[in-house]
Amino acid sequence: QVQLVESGGGLVQPGGSLGLSCAASGSIFSTYRMYNMGWYRQAPGKQRELVALITSDGDTNYPDSVKGRFTISRDNAKNTVYLQMNSLKLEDTAVYYCNARRLRFGVALDYWGQGTQVTVSS
């Protein structure tokens, strides 16, 4: 009933830019603005890691590995979250996943997209 669909992945050279989008649909429609939205990534042989978070209030958080290069934003009217990636590095290569999360009656509601491949290569 809840679906998150990422788009915008692809191949880019080091130093280049890429923008990702995640559109939410289904039963999340009426409460989308209440969710914290995040982007995670996972490279082969590595653990999944958070790369950007934007709360329901619009506050953002980034790890040091992407701070200053990545920007997360959301458009609640379109039920969409974005990730703008600039100055891309080889180590940014990974599958990027969209995440929606909120607390309801003391339990976390947690939804994931299918992922989109980002490859940084010369």
Side-chain angles (χ1 to χ4, degrees):
Q1 294 183 359
V2 175
Q3 188 172 15
L4 304 176
V5 179
E6 302 97 334
S7 61
L11 177 66
V12 64
Q13 293 187 344
S17 298
L18 205 61
L20 305 181
S21 298
C22 172
S25 62
S27 61
I28 198 175
F29 178 80
S30 62
T31 55
Y32 175 81
R33 66 178 63 189
M34 301 177 64
Y35 282 77
N36 297 331
M37 302 297 299
W39 287 95
Y40 293 75
R41 69 186 181 188
Q42 187 166 23
K46 296 184 178 180
Q47 293 185 338
R48 184 179 61 188
E49 63 175 343
L50 176 71
V51 297
L53 176 70
I54 185 166
T55 70
S56 59
D57 294 326
D59 298 324
T60 59
N61 294 100
Y62 307 90
D64 290 340
S65 59
V66 308
K67 191 181 294 292
R69 300 188 298 118
F70 290 11
T71 302
I72 189 171
S73 61
R74 64 192 296 167
D75 186 341
N76 291 335
K78 296 182 178 180
N79 287 0
T80 301
V81 63
Y82 306 93
L83 183 67
Q84 179 63 44
M85 303 181 291
N86 299 324
S87 302
L88 284 162
K89 305 175 180 179
L90 296 178
E91 52 264 41
D92 294 321
T93 296
V95 177
Y96 284 70
Y97 297 92
C98 178
N99 171 255
R101 182 178 298 163
R102 77 176 180 102
L103 201 63
R104 183 178 181 270
F105 301 131
V107 63
L109 301 180
D110 202 359
Y111 304 104
W112 295 89
Q114 83 288 348
T116 185
Q117 177 71 47
V118 173
T119 301
V120 184
S121 177
S122 60

